[in-house]
């Protein structure tokens, strides 16, 4: 018998970024062990993965002890990607206790597995560790402006605690680690109801519902297409860096929400009205990554411009929602 391929464990592998990551790893020769509690995943995300060679799905929650199906493969697991956690405010605020436990207890379980198996561990952290930043663009050395008592704290502080634990494992030589701070990412496999700005605007326009814009639309975001993000994550995992510094991954092109809305409406004309609502508490006013570290250490930067990625994303949403739009068919 030939040597068995290595296993990559992807916690949260049925989610938006996780499902793309599972496919990319399978294409690189890994057997993929996808672990997900299906709390926020789309069933269609799993369906497109099931036929991948060497793909195994395990329904489990990393808040609990890792299941025997995972533990019996421990010696063959060489890569652990922790993508598990609801990532949009409506989703992670729906059960804030579970969000915090996923980030802290779940990360601990996966780090213990990395220690036991000798696998390299990558934490997908978030730009939310910078909070509503006073420094722009955000560099990895900036310590953030985060409310530890507000409604976003379960996620923001949970990720900050997960980072602290991850770096402590590395500091004590208990695991080889990487930490990615992910900025706004979009693309196919997003949940239409996840409450993120791209999915909100596109799906509301497609269905003809009122389009909700929070605040006056002058707050900014930087949007990274999912294929670029997955490439960055894999490069970070496979890099020879010491892992003791977080790395921003995101697209430094900055847009106001109003500019994003204009791009969506140019793609998906709609009769829906634009409704302005109050900004949520602690919502960041500006968000843009400084990716100098990723460029230097990984040779990575995004390739997909929003004018190319947004039509692909809108076309995918249209198919998921069963909406036919000539403009999107032309855009494809």
């Amino acid at each position: 018998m030939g040597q068995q391929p290595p296993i990559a464990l992807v916690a949260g592998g049925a989610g938006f970024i996780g499902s793309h990551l599972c496919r990319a790893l399978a294409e690189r020769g890994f057997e993929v062990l996808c672990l997900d509690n299906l709390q926020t995943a789309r069933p269609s995300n799993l369906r497109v993965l099931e036929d991948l060679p060497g793909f195994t799905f395990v329904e489990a929650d990393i808040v609990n002890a890792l299941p025997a199906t995972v533990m019996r493969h421990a010696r063959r697991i060489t890569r652990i990607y922790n993508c598990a956690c609801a990532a949009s405010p409506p989703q992670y605020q729906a059960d804030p206790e579970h969000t915090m436990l996923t980030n802290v207890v779940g990360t601990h379980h996966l780090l213990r597995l990395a220690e036991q198996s000798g696998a390299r561990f990558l934490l997908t952290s978030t730009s939310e560790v910078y909070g509503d930043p006073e420094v722009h663009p955000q560099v990895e050395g900036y310590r953030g402006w985060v409310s530890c008592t507000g409604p976003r704290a379960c996620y923001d502080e949970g990720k900050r605690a997960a980072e602290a634990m991850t770096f402590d494992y590395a500091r004590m030589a208990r695991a080889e680690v990487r930490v990615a701070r992910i900025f706004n990412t979009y693309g196919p496999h997003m949940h239409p109801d996840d409450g993120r700005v791209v999915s909100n605007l596109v799906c509301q326009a497609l269905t003809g519902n009122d389009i909700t814009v929070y605040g006056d639309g002058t707050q900014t975001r930087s949007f990274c297409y999912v294929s670029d993000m997955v490439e960055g994550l894999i490069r970070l995992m496979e890099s020879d860096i010491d892992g003791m510094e977080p790395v921003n991954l995101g697209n430094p092109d900055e847009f106001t929400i109003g500019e994003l809305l204009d791009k969506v409406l140019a793609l998906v004309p709609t009769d829906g009205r634009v409704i302005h609502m109050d900004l949520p508490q602690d919502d960041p006013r500006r968000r843009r990554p400084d990716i100098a570290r990723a460029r230097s250490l990984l040779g990575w930067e995004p390739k997909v411009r929003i004018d190319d990625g947004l039509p692909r994303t809108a076309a995918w949403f249209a198919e998921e929602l069963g909406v036919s739009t000539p403009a999107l068919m032309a855009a494809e």
Side-chain angles (χ1 to χ4, degrees):
M1 293 179 61
Q3 186 176 2
Q4 292 179 301
I7 294 176
L9 172 65
V10 183
F16 163 43
I17 295 176
S19 58
H20 287 275
L21 179 60
C22 285
R23 176 170 293 278
L25 291 168
E27 290 171 350
R28 285 164 170 79
F30 283 92
E31 286 191 13
V32 176
L33 191 56
C34 170
L35 185 66
D36 204 297
N37 67 358
L38 302 182
Q39 178 185 21
T40 61
R42 295 284 287 172
S44 57
N45 291 357
L46 268 181
R47 287 196 294 270
V48 300
L49 297 174
E50 288 172 341
D51 292 334
L52 289 175
F55 177 82
T56 302
F57 171 67
V58 178
E59 185 173 355
D61 193 323
I62 62 170
V63 166
N64 304 319
L66 296 178
T69 311
V70 171
M71 299 310 297
R72 69 168 167 258
H73 292 297
R75 291 185 179 181
R76 289 181 54 210
I77 295 172
T78 64
R79 299 289 185 266
I80 299 172
Y81 289 85
N82 184 8
C83 304
C85 190
S88 69
Q91 291 177 337
Y92 65 64
Q93 290 172 8
D95 189 346
E97 178 187 14
H98 186 265
T99 298
M100 179 65 77
L101 292 174
T102 299
N103 283 313
V104 179
V105 176
T107 296
H108 181 236
H109 286 152
L110 294 174
L111 282 167
R112 290 289 300 273
L113 176 62
E115 181 181 24
Q116 176 181 339
S117 65
R120 187 177 290 178
F121 174 86
L122 186 148
L123 172 69
T124 59
S125 186
T126 173
S127 59
E128 296 297 332
V129 300
Y130 301 120
D132 186 8
E134 297 174 304
V135 170
H136 191 80
Q138 290 78 60
V139 296
E140 290 91 345
Y142 174 54
R143 296 184 179 182
W145 182 253
V146 177
S147 167
C148 62
T149 58
R152 302 170 73 104
C154 59
Y155 184 71
D156 300 2
E157 296 288 24
K159 287 291 190 181
R160 287 160 71 99
E163 283 196 18
M165 188 186 309
T166 299
F167 288 125
D168 279 337
Y169 261 70
R171 204 170 281 118
M172 294 184 292
R174 295 177 64 181
E176 187 181 358
V177 308
R178 307 286 186 268
V179 172
R181 288 180 177 166
I182 293 178
F183 283 68
N184 292 66
T185 305
Y186 72 102
H189 299 190
M190 297 180 80
H191 199 297
D193 298 324
D194 69 4
R196 296 186 237 202
V197 63
V198 171
S199 50
N200 272 0
L201 298 183
V202 171
C203 292
Q204 288 167 348
L206 283 170
T207 55
N209 291 325
D210 289 343
I211 297 173
T212 53
V213 173
Y214 293 93
D216 60 6
T218 60
Q219 67 273 30
T220 70
R221 295 293 184 269
S222 302
F223 301 101
C224 186
Y225 193 66
V226 65
S227 60
D228 285 329
M229 181 57 62
V230 167
E231 177 66 21
L233 291 172
I234 293 175
R235 286 198 190 194
L236 177 57
M237 177 67 96
E238 300 304 326
S239 66
D240 292 328
I241 63 175
D242 65 13
M244 287 305 297
E245 296 176 320
V247 177
N248 286 341
L249 294 178
N251 193 319
D253 292 341
E254 185 178 8
F255 298 92
T256 67
I257 300 304
E259 289 170 335
L260 175 65
L261 175 61
D262 289 342
K263 291 179 180 296
V264 169
L265 295 181
L267 276 175
V268 189
T270 179
D271 295 328
R273 301 174 301 159
V274 176
I275 305 295
H276 287 267
M277 302 181 69
D278 292 339
L279 274 176
Q281 184 178 337
D282 301 326
D283 193 65
R285 294 158 296 174
R286 301 189 71 185
R287 182 59 55 73
R288 177 189 170 199
D290 182 308
I291 62 168
R293 182 174 290 176
R295 285 191 177 112
S296 172
L297 297 179
L298 312 178
W300 175 89
E301 62 183 344
K303 297 178 180 178
V304 181
R305 298 171 57 252
I306 196 167
D307 290 339
D308 297 320
L310 194 58
R312 301 176 203 172
T313 305
W316 184 84
F317 274 127
E319 184 176 351
E320 281 285 290
L321 297 172
V323 177
S324 177
T325 61
L328 284 180
M329 292 173 62
E332 286 188 279

